[in-house]
């Protein structure tokens, strides 16, 4: 018994040494001490002599070896310097654009997750949603007013674009200058405010949201504000902020999509004539496409590869990617015809030019900034990618929750609301989870950026995950709505989302490549505690300084790797009961499980980096699965933050539990898939043994919990409103979502009367057929009171408007340009009069 206890204590000490990342000499002392006690027989009370048996050598020799390695000259000669030479030899060179992408932005909470030991104080220190009085007023008034003016069907079908009066309102109220500082005529709003404003507009009409989004995302305004010369700021910022100038940014070209660094658009430093004077400038040729706002733009931001064959600027021949500002009416600039992305109505089109001469002063930042374009772009993208599309996707998911829960409540089949059918509840629970989780992540990430962070990895997570989850929520909403969701027309409030969703998947870094190449592959370099330092050291041209830096990082990395192995095994054997959670945390269990999960992720990430090295770039299925795992960890952290910020309300707990449990389930499923398909079978077995020593016990949330979650959103109240906060909610019964809200409320208050009527119909006491006034019959038979009958009659009227779909005369389906041509020729408008009226913007 004492012997067994000794073994347990010895093993426990080994785990403690590893997890605490103790020095090598400590390990040598531990192993020598264990061997000494064992050979002397001190644990059983019978002293024995020392010998050099085989069993003794298994202890003494490793202890001696570790003792020697603890001496730096030996460790340097045997381990560190050979490792340094190997890394220098096998490390693939990092290109200039790759280096600039790595240097752009900042490291955020993603580094805490890669470390395996998240600092909860850093998460809890992030501000909750905080707006200034000015920002709140703009959200509640100007943004609300804009939403009321927007008519989705009119924009998509009749105008095929944003009407001029609405564009004027957007310009005059400052929507295009939210990002620009007050000093330069803009609103100077925080990223948190921009996110909420963009989201609210998007919940009403995504096309209008994109018109507002682009000038406030990656574009000339932000680039000029951050990197422009004083003259450029004076010339452009106030007109951009006031909407007197409309910007676009031309980056993507036919040969360079996600690999924007491979662009073939080129400029050559030369001398030419501008405004009648010979000047130093650039002759640039470009062919860009998919450029949002290009058809309306007056100022084009242009990215191109700059060369200087005569070395006029003194920076060599190949200067690199450069950004310039070119007025759209500048000679040689051609704004092409419009693209039609998925049938959406926001302006989008190509921009071209051949041998267009521009002064060198038109380079963003002037002559001193030539060749710095990629670094500037990545710096802006590190923040912008986390704001614009995530704001729209989050608002879209919340809007889908709002309308789909209402529709599932008012739409009845088999005499019950379809929302009470388990098959429907399964889909509706997914929408609730998406809306709740995305709002948590949106709020936390926007707060980080408002505080000055530019989290490159987190921004990629947000863009990829938010648009993907929005797409899945949309699929669920369409399934629940059935025919209502697929018949286009003024009554269809899902069509705009259906059209715009594929667009969001492909822009600002296509989701497939964001998942497989950026989130984890680039995240490992940026966020791993030691890897980037090792790579920088190995590439240092000063061998002595490079080795010194490498030695420090390598030794810490080795301790980190050993700690991951022992730490993960310990956490998983003990089910995370010893993991840390913050003091006074409302849900300490989930914090502890998140630390346990982060330890497992750190193990898998570090092991993959060490064993695959540069090969990670081609193992994109593996990096994709690890990207999914990292995303789930980040979202769990955001969920914990949201729940605490919202006051840990008991009414919100089922939704919170459902979202967190779903995320943990997906996290471990992603790791399990990664291990099953690991490039080396032995590596997969090794990782699985450490992460799942007693199996994977994380399962999907129970059906009972899903039912509880769905039931909570099938009735009006504070919880439903909180889950769908910050979106536009119409109160106009002439609006398709407004009448849905009215029907939802009326159906809820008349539910008891409806049950009595249904019971009478099933009993044959009342005939509910066309041609019969069944409400009157129920009153005549004293089944309903006149008041109840009136309430049900009104509810049925509203529900009938909700479930109705549009139909069209053949002439109405003619393309708008055909109707316009016929109108110009004097042909009569053959559309139904009520349809012409319905096409007009709805007034509230």
């Amino acid at each position: 018994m004492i012997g067994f206890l000794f073994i347990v204590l010895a093993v426990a000490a080994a785990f403690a040494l590893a997890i605490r990342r103790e020095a090598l000499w400590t390990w040598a002392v531990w192993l020598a001490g264990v061997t000494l006690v064992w050979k002397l027989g001190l644990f059983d009370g019978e002293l024995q002599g020392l010998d050099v048996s085989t069993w003794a050598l298994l202890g003494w020799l490793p202890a001696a070896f570790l003792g020697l390695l603890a001496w730096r000259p030996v460790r340097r000669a045997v381990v560190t310097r050979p490792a340094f030479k190997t890394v220098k030899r096998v490390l693939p060179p990092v290109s200039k654009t790759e280096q600039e992408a790595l240097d752009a932005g900042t490291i955020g909470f993603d580094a805490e997750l890669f470390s395996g030991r998240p600092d909860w104080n850093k998460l809890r220190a992030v501000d909750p949603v905080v707006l200034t009085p000015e920002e709140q007023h703009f959200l509640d008034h100007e943004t609300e007013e804009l939403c009321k003016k927007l008519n989705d069907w009119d924009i998509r079908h009749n105008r095929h674009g944003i009407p001029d009066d609405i564009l004027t309102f957007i310009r005059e109220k400052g929507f295009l200058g939210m990002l620009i500082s007050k000093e330069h005529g803009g609103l100077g709003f925080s990223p948190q405010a921009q996110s909420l404003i963009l989201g609210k507009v998007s919940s009403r009409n995504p096309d209008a949201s994109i018109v507002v989004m682009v000038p406030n995302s990656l574009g000339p305004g932000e680039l000029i504000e951050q990197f422009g010369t004083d003259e450029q700021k004076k010339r452009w910022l106030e007109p951009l902020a006031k909407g007197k100038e409309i910007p676009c940014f031309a980056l993507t070209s036919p040969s360079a999509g996600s690999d924007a660094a491979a662009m073939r658009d080129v400029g050559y430093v030369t001398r030419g004539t501008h405004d009648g004077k010979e000047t130093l400038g650039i002759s640039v040729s470009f062919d860009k496409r998919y450029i949002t706002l290009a058809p309306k733009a007056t100022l084009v931001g242009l990215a191109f590869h700059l060369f200087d064959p005569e070395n006029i600027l003194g920076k060599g021949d190949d200067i690199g990617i450069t950004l310039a500002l070119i007025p759209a009416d500048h000679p040689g600039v051609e704004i092409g015809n419009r693209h039609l992305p998925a049938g959406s109505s926001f302006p989008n089109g190509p921009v071209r030019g051949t041998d267009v001469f521009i002064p060198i002063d038109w380079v963003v930042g002037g002559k001193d900034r030539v060749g710095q374009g990629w670094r500037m772009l990545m710096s802006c993208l590190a923040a912008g990618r986390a704001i614009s599309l995530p704001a729209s996707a989050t608002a879209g998911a919340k809007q889908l929750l709002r309308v789909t829960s209402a529709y599932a409540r008012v739409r009845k089949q088999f005499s019950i609301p379809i929302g009470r059918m388990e098959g429907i509840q399964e889909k509706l629970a997914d929408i609730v989870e998406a809306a709740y989780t995305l709002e948590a992540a949106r709020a936390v990430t926007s707060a980080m950026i408002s505080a000055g962070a530019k989290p490159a990895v987190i921004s990629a997570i947000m863009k990829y995950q938010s648009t993907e989850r929005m797409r899945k929520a949309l699929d669920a909403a369409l399934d629940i709505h059935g025919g209502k969701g697929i018949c286009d027309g003024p009554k269809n409030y899902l069509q705009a989302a259906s059209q715009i969703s594929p667009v969001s998947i492909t822009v600002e870094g296509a989701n497939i490549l964001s998942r497989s190449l950026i989130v984890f592959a680039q995240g490992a370099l940026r966020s791993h505690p030691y890897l980037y330092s090792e790579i920088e050291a190995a590439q240092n041209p000063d061998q002595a300084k490079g080795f010194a830096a490498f030695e420090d990082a390598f030794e810490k990395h080795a301790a980190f790797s050993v700690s991951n192995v022992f730490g993960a095994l310990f956490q998983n054997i003990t089910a995370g009961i010893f993991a840390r959670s913050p003091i006074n945390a409302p849900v300490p269990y989930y914090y502890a499980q998140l630390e346990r999960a982060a330890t497992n992720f750190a193990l898998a990430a570090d092991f993959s980096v060490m064993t695959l090295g540069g090969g990670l770039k081609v193992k994109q299925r593996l990096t994709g699965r690890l990207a999914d795992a990292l995303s789930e960890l980040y979202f769990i952290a955001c969920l914990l933050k949201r729940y605490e910020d919202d006051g840990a309300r008991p009414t919100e707990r089922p939704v919170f539990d459902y979202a967190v449990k779903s995320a943990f389930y997906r996290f471990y499923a992603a790791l399990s898939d990664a291990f099953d398909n690991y490039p080396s079978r032995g590596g997969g077995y090794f990782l699985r043994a450490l992460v799942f020593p007693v199996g994977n016990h994380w399962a999907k949330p129970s059906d009972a919990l899903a039912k509880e979650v769905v039931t909570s959103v099938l009735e009006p109240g504070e919880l439903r409103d909180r889950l769908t906060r910050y979106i536009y909610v119409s109160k106009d019964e002439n609006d398709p979502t407004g009448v849905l809200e009215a029907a939802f409320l009326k159906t809820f208050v008349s539910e008891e009367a409806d049950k009595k009527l249904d019971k009478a119909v099933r009993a044959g006491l009342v005939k509910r057929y066309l041609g019969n006034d069944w409400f009157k019959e129920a009153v005549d038979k004293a089944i309903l009171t006149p008041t109840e009958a009136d309430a049900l009659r009104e509810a049925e009227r509203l529900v009938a408007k909700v479930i109705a779909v549009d139909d069209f005369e053949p002439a109405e389906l003619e393309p708008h340009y055909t109707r316009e041509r016929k109108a110009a020729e004097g042909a009569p408008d053959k559309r139904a009069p009520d349809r012409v009226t319905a096409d007009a913007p709805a007034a509230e």
Side-chain angles (χ1 to χ4, degrees), residues 16 63 104 108 113 127 225 260 371 467 476 493 583 691 716 742 748 822 827:
L113 299 174
D127 288 333
E225 184 95 50
T467 54
Y493 43 77
I583 299 174
V691 175
F748 178 76
K822 289 183 177 180

Side-chain angles (χ1 to χ4, degrees), residues 138 142-156 159-176 201 204-212 242-243 246 296 345 347 839-843:
F138 193 91
E142 285 86 349
T143 309
E144 183 81 6
E145 187 176 353
L146 172 59
C147 290
K148 289 180 179 180
K149 291 176 177 291
L150 297 171
N151 181 290
D152 187 70
W153 173 253
D154 185 56
I155 290 171
R156 288 191 294 108
R159 311 292 186 95
H160 215 79
I162 309 299
D164 289 340
D165 62 319
I166 294 178
L167 284 175
T168 299
F169 181 87
I170 289 173
R171 291 174 173 178
E172 292 179 348
K173 296 300 182 180
F175 280 90
L176 303 185
V201 176
R204 181 60 168 169
N205 177 257
D207 292 295
S209 177
I210 289 175
V211 170
V212 175
K242 303 298 184 184
I246 304 297
K296 296 281 187 180
S345 299
D839 287 343

Side-chain angles (χ1 to χ4, degrees), residues 252-265:
T252 303
S253 59
S255 60
S258 295
D259 184 15
M263 67 179 68
R264 300 174 183 175
D265 313 281

